[in-house]
Amino acid sequence: MTNRKIARFLAENRPKTPCLVIDLDVVEQNYKRMRELLPLAQIFYAVKANPMPELVDRLRLLGSSFDTASRGEIDLCLGLGVGAERISFGNTIKKERDIAYAYERGVRLYAFDSEAELRKLAAAAPGARVFCRVLMECGGADWPLSRKFGCTPKMAGDLMVMAKELGLDAYGLSFHVGSQQKDLGQWDHAVGQVAGLFALLRERDVDLRMVNLGGGFPTRYRQAVKPVEAYAQAVMNAVTHHFGNSIPELLIEPGRSMVGNAGVIQSEVVLISDKGLEDGKRWIYLDIGKFSGLAETMDESIKYRIRTPRDGGRTGSVVLAGPTCDSADILYEKTDYQLPLDLAVGDKVEILATGAYTTTYSSVGFNGFAPLKAYCI
Ligand SMILES: *Cc1c(COP(=O)(O)O)cnc(C)c1O
C-alpha cells in the first residue's frame, strides 16, 4: 500500500528527516466512511490523536464534532471556527477554572467519572449536559485505556442521580473499550452494561438519552485488522441487541482510525552495528525514537510497518532503536523485525500508518533532537 501523494511530496520536497506527512484526503475518506457506516452516530473526532490545525479544519468543513481534553484543544477548535455546540470536554480530569473557561465560551457537554468532578461541573457549568464514563476492562486492546478512567456501573448510576439533583442535565453514559481494540465482542459487553444502567436509572426517575461509544477502532499496523465495516456492524448490532427499538442518541469518538493510516514518517538510518554477541542481530539506529514521536512503541505495544528502499532482497533479524542517549529508547527488541541485509547508513526508511499519536508524543527536544516536524498535504 503506497500513498502516491505522500511519495511524490517526499520525492519533490526532500524534507529533513525525521518528518511526518499526512494526506488530508485519506482523513476525509476515513471520515466519510465512518459517517456512512454509522449514520446514527454523531462523530466527535478525538483531537488528541493528531491536533494539526489543517487536519482539524478539514474535519470541521466535513461537519465533524470534536472531543477535547484541555483548554488548549478547546481553543484550537474554537480558533478554527468550530461552534461550541460541536465541542465535548471529554476528559474526566479537569481543573474547575478550565471548566468555567469552556462554559463561558459556550461548551455545554462534559464528561466525569467521580463525585468530586461532578461537583466541579455543577459549580462551574450549571445546567450543562453531563455523561458519566463507565470503567471497562479493555481486554483485546493493544493500547488499553483501562483503570485510569471510568467508575463502576453501580457508582455511575448513583452519580447520574446526583447529577440530576445538582441541577445538571443527566444526559448519558460513555465508555472506551481500549484503543486499537481487536475484539469485536467488547462493544456488545460495553453496550449491554450501559443499557442495563439506562433501565435502572429510569426506575430512579433519571431518563438518560445518550450513549457515547468512545474510540477503539483500529489502524492497520503489522497485523491485519478487520475492516471498519465489521466494527460498525458490531457496534450497531450491540446497540440494537440491547436497546431494541428505543435507540438513544449515539456519539462516537474516533481518533486512531480517523488519522492513523493517513500518515507516513520518513526517517534515516543513522547507524548499523553488530555488538559481537551470539544472537548476531544487527542493531539499526534510526533518527527517530521513543522521544521523537514513537512513544506507542512503549512495551512494543504498537508494531509499525517499516518500508525500506531495499525491500525484496534477503533479510535478517534486527533490533530497532532511536538516536538518543537513553537505553529506554529502543523501539523493538523482543518483537522480531526483519530488515534487508544490505540496508545501509543514510538510507531513508518509511514508518507506515503513523498519523495518530506521534507528533504530540514527541519531546520538546530531549538530547537536542527537535520535535517531530509534520506536513499536511
Ligand atoms: C483517546 C480517546 C479517544 C480516541 O480513541 P481511539 O482509540 O484513538 O479511537 C476517544 N475518546 C476518549 C475519551 C479518548 O480519551
Side-chain angles (χ1 to χ4, degrees):
M1 185 208 68
T2 303
N3 179 315
R4 293 228 182 81
K5 197 171 147 198
I6 293 178
R8 189 174 346 115
F9 175 85
L10 289 169
E12 287 172 1
N13 296 279
R14 303 174 156 278
K16 266 198 222 147
T17 67
C19 68
L20 168 70
V21 187
I22 296 274
D23 179 353
L24 292 178
D25 295 336
V26 175
V27 177
E28 179 163 339
Q29 282 163 23
N30 291 339
Y31 178 84
K32 287 180 169 164
R33 195 138 76 121
M34 184 79 80
R35 172 78 297 139
E36 207 178 287
L37 292 171
L38 290 171
L40 295 183
Q42 191 181 350
I43 299 176
F44 281 71
Y45 168 60
V47 174
K48 77 170 185 290
N50 188 323
M52 290 175 77
E54 301 95 317
L55 192 159
V56 171
D57 199 49
R58 176 69 70 102
L59 288 171
R60 175 187 69 83
L61 289 168
L62 288 165
S64 184
S65 296
F66 297 90
D67 169 47
T68 62
S70 64
R71 196 164 153 154
E73 287 185 353
I74 290 170
D75 283 343
L76 166 75
C77 292
L78 292 174
L80 290 167
V82 174
E85 74 289 348
R86 281 161 70 183
I87 296 175
S88 162
F89 202 165
N91 193 344
T92 52
I93 307 152
K94 302 175 286 298
K95 289 178 181 164
E96 190 169 318
R97 57 184 178 277
D98 291 343
I99 297 170
Y101 178 87
Y103 189 77
E104 230 168 74
R105 277 153 191 78
V107 177
R108 291 291 179 272
L109 182 57
Y110 298 84
F112 72 95
D113 63 4
S114 65
E115 181 178 337
E117 190 73 11
L118 186 59
R119 291 194 182 279
K120 285 187 219 165
L121 289 171
R129 286 182 296 168
V130 296
F131 58 93
C132 186
R133 182 156 168 182
V134 180
L135 197 63
M136 289 290 149
E137 290 290 326
C138 302
D142 282 347
W143 194 259
L145 297 163
S146 42
R147 297 206 328 279
K148 181 166 173 183
F149 308 104
C151 61
T152 63
K154 173 166 185 332
M155 183 180 282
D158 293 341
L159 290 176
M160 288 313 281
V161 171
M162 185 186 282
K164 186 176 170 183
E165 288 166 3
L166 289 169
L168 291 159
D169 178 358
Y171 185 41
L173 299 169
S174 75
F175 57 80
H176 194 304
V177 295
S179 201
Q180 190 71 6
Q181 176 57 258
K182 291 179 308 203
D183 174 10
L184 295 182
Q186 295 287 324
W187 276 275
D188 190 68
H189 172 74
V191 173
Q193 294 226 315
V194 300
L197 268 171
F198 264 60
L200 280 175
L201 281 161
R202 207 169 303 120
E203 288 167 17
R204 295 170 78 178
D205 271 335
V206 181
D207 278 310
L208 303 184
R209 315 190 298 284
M210 184 279 288
V211 173
N212 180 336
L213 302 155
F217 284 29
T219 284
R220 189 208 194 280
Y221 298 111
R222 287 220 309 191
Q223 236 188 353
V225 292
K226 295 189 190 78
V228 60
E229 284 79 0
Y231 280 81
Q233 190 73 60
V235 165
M236 284 321 295
N237 286 348
V239 169
T240 46
H241 175 205
H242 295 288
F243 283 97
N245 285 328
S246 45
I247 294 181
E249 291 171 46
L250 298 175
L251 267 56
I252 191 158
E253 302 171 331
R256 190 183 302 279
S257 61
M258 196 68 83
V259 294
N261 67 339
V264 171
I265 283 175
Q266 190 174 63
S267 166
E268 183 179 314
V269 176
V270 180
L271 177 68
I272 300 179
S273 69
D274 157 352
K275 297 189 183 294
L277 293 169
E278 308 251 297
D279 67 4
K281 272 193 183 184
R282 287 168 301 155
W283 281 66
I284 311 266
Y285 300 90
L286 302 176
D287 63 0
I288 187 168
K290 270 206 165 64
F291 301 104
S292 36
L294 303 181
E296 286 199 320
T297 60
M298 202 188 295
D299 296 329
E300 312 196 10
S301 303
I302 297 294
K303 299 174 176 70
Y304 296 109
R305 275 187 291 167
I306 295 181
R307 198 162 50 199
T308 81
R310 301 178 199 267
D311 288 351
R314 287 179 54 223
T315 61
S317 291
V318 301
V319 176
L320 272 164
T324 64
C325 299
D326 189 318
S327 58
D329 191 11
I330 294 173
L331 304 175
Y332 304 110
E333 189 172 16
K334 294 185 219 89
T335 311
D336 187 39
Y337 266 80
Q338 297 265 336
L339 288 179
L341 291 175
D342 56 352
L343 191 72
V345 168
D347 280 354
K348 296 284 199 314
V349 302
E350 279 163 16
I351 309 171
L352 306 184
T354 39
Y357 304 119
T358 48
T359 50
T360 43
Y361 269 160
S362 86
S363 78
V364 294
F366 175 48
N367 249 192
F369 292 102
L372 181 59
K373 180 98 179 106
Y375 306 88
C376 277
I377 59 171

